[in-house]
């Protein structure tokens, strides 16, 4: 062959290789495009799943098509066998070899492209369906919310739930209809909880209003009673003369304003009336302290003036003739509470009259012994009667026997001896009477003390030589005292806790500080938290003086 023929054959061979290379590149490009389409389809499907669009359209057919494209891509051939060369040329053309290959790469490319187009159409359709469902979900949620709100008939429940309903309404308006299965039950639960809480609040509110109404009614009653007590205590203080020691004008004005204030604000009126009662009680204690101090000073001065005037008398006969009247005056002096200055002046004036009469009697009868004997007889009879009135005791019986013996010897006894006996018997009688008077003072002081501590005191009773004093409070607390032979036994019972000891301490303190008793040899006979008895208490009254 010629060189030109070989050159032509080589040129054909080179051209065949170029055509083969271009054909295989197209197949490879088609496969790559189909792989890209498959990846895009996969991402597209994942996105539709993530958006929940698969709930509105079926992706099964698309997924089957994707699997078919993968199979086409896997079975596609990318290489061709080289063309067989014979002498003088090729046994077939390149096109014949290409025609022998399958068209899988191009089918895969076409089918993957169709998948993408179909996915786009399905996504658009699914989105439209999804939007319609979202709108339906929104409408359902809004209808439920408004229906539930309109069913609330109680305005007070609606008022208490107002803020919560506004928050729920904002959530309903903001709901985009997507998570219906999650949002709707949550909304139902929140709505139920909100209404239940509002109903509970309404119930508590109405209960509180009822309690407040009852509280106001009770406050009105309490305030009215407090005003009544306040007015009664003011009148009582005036009757006791305590307004001479403290001013009651401000409390009277406050009482008037309280009575008008009860109708407008009973709770405040109740509180202010309690404060007014407390202030009145403090003022009453202050006035009583001032009154007791003044009374004590008046008592002490009355006794000092009385006994100082008696000490000025040098003639014993005057004291003897004035003894009966002095004893009466002494009793009046013992019962004098120190509150009325006129009583003090009257006792002193009566003392002067008694001493003047006694002095006249002594001057008229000193020269007449017989008359004196008669007077002694009368005096002894009176003394006997006076001593007979004293509580029965061995000393009293002995003294009565001595008086009777002297009376029997009045006519026969020597005058001086008789006078000496009478003086002696008078001294003994005076001692006994003074002791009796001292006991009376003790009784009076105890009665005053108990009354000062708000006890209702029964009349003292003389029993077997002892004076029994019983007292009680309206609360049931009781006190019993027994005075005998210069000693006091007393018992406090029906108390709770330690208040018994507190009242005993106040009782003993007032006896010592106000009435001047010196309590010695104290002995607790029996004690428990509610009852205490004491006994064997010696009395020594430094203010007590005898004639």
């Amino acid at each position: 062959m010629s060189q030109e023929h070989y050159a032509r054959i080589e040129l054909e061979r080179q051209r065949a290789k170029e055509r083969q290379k271009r054909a295989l590149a197209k197949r490879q490009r088609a496969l790559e495009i189909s792989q890209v389409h498959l990846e895009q389809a996969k991402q597209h499907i994942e996105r539709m799943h993530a958006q929940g669009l698969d709930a509105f359209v079926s992706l099964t057919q698309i997924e089957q098509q994707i699997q078919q494209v993968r199979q086409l891509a896997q079975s596609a051939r990318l290489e061709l066998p080289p063309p067989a060369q014979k002498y003088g040329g090729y046994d077939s053309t390149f096109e014949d070899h290409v025609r022998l290959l399958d068209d899988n790469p191009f089918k895969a490319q076409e089918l993957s492209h169709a998948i993408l187009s179909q996915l786009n159409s399905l996504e658009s359709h699914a989105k439209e369906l999804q939007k319609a469902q979202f709108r339906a979900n929104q409408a359902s949620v809004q209808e439920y919310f408004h229906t539930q709100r309109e069913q609330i008939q109680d305005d007070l429940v609606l008022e208490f739930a107002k803020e919560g309903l506004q928050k729920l309404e904002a959530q309903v308006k903001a709901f985009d209809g997507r998570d219906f299965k999650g949002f709707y039950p949550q909304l139902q639960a929140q709505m139920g909880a909100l209404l239940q809480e509002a109903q509970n609040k309404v119930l508590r509110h109405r209960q509180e209003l009822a309690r407040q109404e009852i509280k106001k009614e009770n406050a009105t009653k309490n305030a009215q009673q407090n005003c009544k007590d306040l007015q009664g205590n003011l009148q009582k203080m005036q009757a006791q003369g305590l307004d001479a020691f403290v001013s009651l004008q401000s409390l009277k004005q406050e009482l008037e304003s309280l009575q008008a204030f009860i109708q407008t604000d009973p709770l405040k009126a109740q509180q202010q009336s309690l404060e007014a009662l407390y202030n009145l009680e403090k003022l009453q204690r202050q006035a009583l302290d001032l009154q007791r101090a003044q009374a004590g000073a008046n008592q002490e001065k009355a006794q000092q003036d009385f006994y100082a005037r008696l000490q000025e008398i040098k003639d014993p006969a005057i004291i003897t003739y004035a003894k009966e009247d002095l004893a009466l005056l002494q009793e009046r002096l013992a019962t004098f509470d120190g509150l009325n200055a006129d009583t003090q002046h009257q006792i002193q004036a009566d003392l002067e009259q008694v001493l003047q009469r006694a002095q006249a009697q002594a001057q008229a009868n000193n020269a007449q012994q017989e008359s004196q004997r008669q007077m002694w007889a009368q005096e002894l009879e009176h003394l006997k009667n006076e001593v007979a009135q004293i509580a029965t005791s061995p000393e009293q019986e002995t003294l009565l026997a001595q008086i009777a013996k002297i009376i029997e010897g009045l006519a026969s006894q020597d005058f001086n001896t008789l006078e000496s006996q009478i003086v002696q018997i008078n001294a003994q009688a005076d001692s006994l009477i003074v002791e009796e008077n001292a006991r009376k003072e003790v009784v009076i002081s105890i009665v005053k003390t108990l009354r000062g501590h708000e006890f209702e005191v029964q009349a003292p009773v003389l029993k077997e030589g002892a004076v029994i004093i019983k007292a009680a409070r309206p609360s049931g607390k009781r006190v019993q005292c027994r005075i005998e032979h210069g000693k006091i036994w007393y018992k406090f019972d029906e108390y709770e806790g330690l208040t018994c000891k507190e009242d005993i301490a106040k009782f003993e303190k007032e006896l010592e500080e106000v009435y001047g008793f010196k309590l010695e040899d104290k002995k607790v006979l029996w004690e428990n938290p509610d009852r205490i008895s004491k006994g064997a208490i010696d009395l020594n009254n430094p203010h007590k003086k005898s004639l």
Side-chain angles (χ1 to χ4, degrees):
M1 289 187 175
S2 62
Q3 187 175 3
E4 181 181 356
H5 177 72
Y6 283 109
R8 185 179 56 79
I9 291 174
E10 181 64 20
L11 180 60
E12 288 181 3
R13 188 176 68 83
Q14 292 295 332
R15 289 175 177 173
K17 284 185 178 181
E18 288 295 329
R19 288 195 299 274
Q20 185 182 28
K21 184 176 180 181
R22 286 195 297 272
L24 292 177
K26 286 182 179 180
R27 294 173 67 83
Q28 180 67 34
R29 179 63 182 167
L31 287 176
E32 290 176 355
I33 291 173
S34 66
Q35 292 295 333
V36 171
H37 287 170
L38 288 179
E39 183 63 26
Q40 290 176 351
K42 178 182 178 183
Q43 295 175 358
H44 204 149
I45 290 174
E46 290 176 351
R47 184 170 65 251
M48 290 180 70
H49 280 299
Q51 294 175 353
L53 298 177
D54 55 335
F56 301 94
V57 293
S58 175
L59 300 176
T60 304
Q61 185 178 1
I62 298 295
E63 291 173 347
Q64 292 175 354
Q65 291 176 0
I66 291 174
Q67 186 63 28
Q68 183 180 357
V69 172
R70 288 197 179 99
Q71 292 175 355
L72 288 173
Q74 290 174 358
S75 60
R77 294 178 58 185
L78 297 179
E79 295 182 357
L80 292 174
Q85 183 180 3
K86 292 183 179 181
Y87 180 78
Y90 293 89
D91 56 356
S92 64
T93 64
F94 177 74
E95 287 78 3
D96 295 331
H97 285 276
V98 171
R99 281 195 295 272
L100 293 177
L101 292 176
D102 58 66
D103 58 351
N104 288 353
F106 304 106
K107 288 182 179 179
Q109 179 182 359
E110 182 180 358
L111 186 56
S112 63
H113 183 270
I115 288 172
L116 285 178
S117 299
Q118 190 175 357
L119 279 175
N120 288 330
S121 298
L122 284 175
E123 184 179 20
S124 299
H125 181 60
K127 284 183 178 181
E128 291 298 325
L129 294 176
Q130 187 184 53
K131 288 179 181 179
Q133 183 62 50
F134 286 171
R135 287 193 295 271
N137 292 344
Q138 288 175 327
S140 178
V141 166
Q142 291 175 359
E143 181 182 3
Y144 168 76
F145 175 78
H146 292 297
T147 300
Q148 291 295 317
R149 186 171 62 181
E150 289 173 359
Q151 288 178 353
I152 303 175
Q153 301 298 324
D154 194 332
D155 293 339
L156 197 55
V157 173
L158 192 61
E159 179 64 25
F160 276 106
K162 181 178 180 181
E163 183 177 352
L165 288 173
Q166 290 176 348
K167 292 180 180 179
L168 286 180
E169 187 175 15
Q171 294 180 18
V172 168
K173 289 181 178 179
F175 177 57
D176 58 3
R178 293 179 181 276
D179 187 18
F180 181 74
K181 292 183 179 179
F183 182 80
Y184 191 75
Q186 182 181 359
L187 177 64
Q188 288 179 319
Q190 289 178 344
M191 194 72 172
L194 176 64
L195 294 180
Q196 185 62 45
E197 182 182 1
Q199 289 171 354
N200 292 338
K201 287 182 178 179
V202 168
L203 179 59
R204 290 194 296 269
H205 177 71
R206 286 174 176 158
Q207 289 174 344
E208 180 62 25
L209 288 178
R211 284 194 295 270
Q212 289 295 330
E213 191 64 28
I214 294 173
K215 190 175 181 181
K216 286 183 179 180
E217 291 178 2
N218 293 334
T220 300
K221 294 178 182 178
N222 293 337
Q224 289 173 345
Q225 184 61 43
N226 291 340
C227 288
K228 184 177 179 181
D229 294 342
L230 188 63
Q231 186 173 10
N233 289 339
L234 285 171
Q235 293 174 351
K236 184 179 178 181
M237 288 182 67
Q238 287 179 328
Q240 293 175 344
L242 297 179
D243 53 341
F245 299 93
V246 292
S247 175
L248 304 178
Q249 188 61 32
S250 61
L251 282 173
K252 290 180 181 179
Q253 295 175 352
E254 187 173 1
L255 175 60
E256 293 178 359
S257 61
L258 279 173
Q259 289 172 338
F261 200 40
I262 290 175
Q263 301 302 324
T264 57
D265 193 346
L267 292 174
K268 192 171 182 180
Q270 177 184 233
Q271 180 63 30
Q272 289 186 355
S273 63
L274 286 174
E275 292 176 359
L277 279 174
Y278 175 72
N279 293 333
L280 180 61
E281 185 179 352
K282 286 173 52 179
L283 199 63
Q284 188 176 23
R285 287 198 299 269
Q286 180 182 355
L288 285 172
D289 290 340
L290 294 173
Q291 187 185 57
R292 278 195 291 268
Q294 184 62 49
N298 293 341
Q299 285 177 324
E300 185 175 0
K301 187 173 188 309
Q303 290 182 354
Q304 289 176 352
D305 292 345
F306 184 87
Y307 291 111
R309 181 68 183 91
L310 291 180
Q311 289 175 358
E312 295 176 357
I313 306 301
K314 305 303 181 182
D315 188 353
I318 297 176
I319 300 299
T320 300
Y321 294 128
K323 186 174 184 178
E324 293 182 5
D325 293 332
L326 289 176
L328 294 174
L329 289 176
Q330 200 172 26
E331 289 181 3
R332 288 171 59 189
L333 187 62
T335 59
F336 175 52
D337 57 9
L339 299 178
N340 193 340
D342 293 339
T343 303
Q344 177 183 355
H345 297 152
Q346 187 61 45
I347 291 174
Q348 202 67 21
D350 292 345
L351 175 61
E352 291 298 330
Q353 292 181 2
V354 167
L355 293 177
Q356 289 175 6
R357 288 197 303 268
Q359 185 177 11
Q361 290 175 3
Q363 292 175 354
N365 294 300
N366 278 340
Q368 301 177 7
Q369 290 186 3
E370 286 301 322
S371 178
Q372 184 66 52
R373 288 177 186 272
Q374 294 176 2
M375 289 180 62
W376 282 342
Q378 295 175 1
E379 183 182 341
L380 288 172
E381 284 295 331
H382 177 75
L383 189 60
K384 182 177 71 173
N385 294 333
E386 190 173 4
V387 172
Q389 294 176 2
I390 299 174
T392 303
S393 65
E395 292 82 1
Q396 183 224 29
E397 294 175 356
T398 301
L399 185 58
L400 288 174
Q402 292 176 352
I403 293 173
K405 185 176 180 181
I406 295 175
I407 290 175
E408 291 177 357
L410 274 175
S412 58
Q413 282 286 348
D414 178 70
F415 183 86
N416 293 330
T417 302
L418 186 60
E419 184 178 15
S420 176
Q421 291 177 349
I422 290 176
V423 170
Q424 184 179 1
I425 205 69
N426 277 331
Q428 294 176 8
D430 285 346
S431 176
L432 193 60
I433 292 171
V434 167
E435 181 179 347
E436 177 64 13
N437 289 337
R439 183 171 66 178
K440 289 181 179 179
E441 288 188 16
V442 171
V443 170
I444 292 169
S445 299
I446 290 176
V447 169
K448 288 182 179 179
T449 301
L450 291 174
R451 286 176 177 169
H453 289 276
E454 300 179 353
F455 282 91
E456 293 284 341
V457 184
Q458 300 179 10
V461 177
L462 182 63
K463 184 177 180 181
E464 297 179 358
V467 177
I468 307 299
I469 302 174
K470 295 182 179 180
R473 284 180 178 167
S475 62
K477 300 176 181 178
R478 298 198 302 264
V479 178
Q480 181 172 326
C481 301
R482 183 161 61 93
I483 301 95
E484 185 178 14
H485 300 307
K487 297 181 180 180
I488 299 177
W489 287 262
Y490 50 89
K491 177 173 67 177
F492 287 69
D493 60 7
E494 298 299 327
Y495 277 73
E496 294 180 1
L498 298 177
T499 58
C500 184
K501 288 188 176 182
E502 295 174 359
D503 275 8
I504 288 176
K506 294 177 182 177
F507 175 75
E508 293 178 348
K509 182 178 179 181
E510 186 163 342
L511 285 178
E512 291 180 349
E513 295 183 356
V514 177
Y515 297 103
F517 295 112
K518 184 177 181 183
L519 305 180
E520 299 176 343
D521 299 329
K522 302 178 185 178
K523 181 180 180 183
V524 177
L525 299 181
W526 184 71
E527 176 178 356
N528 71 11
D530 299 326
R531 179 180 298 174
I532 294 180
S533 297
K534 286 195 175 184
I537 301 180
D538 290 339
L539 303 175
N540 180 17
N541 186 352
H543 299 298
K544 182 65 181 176
K545 299 180 181 180
S546 62
L547 297 177

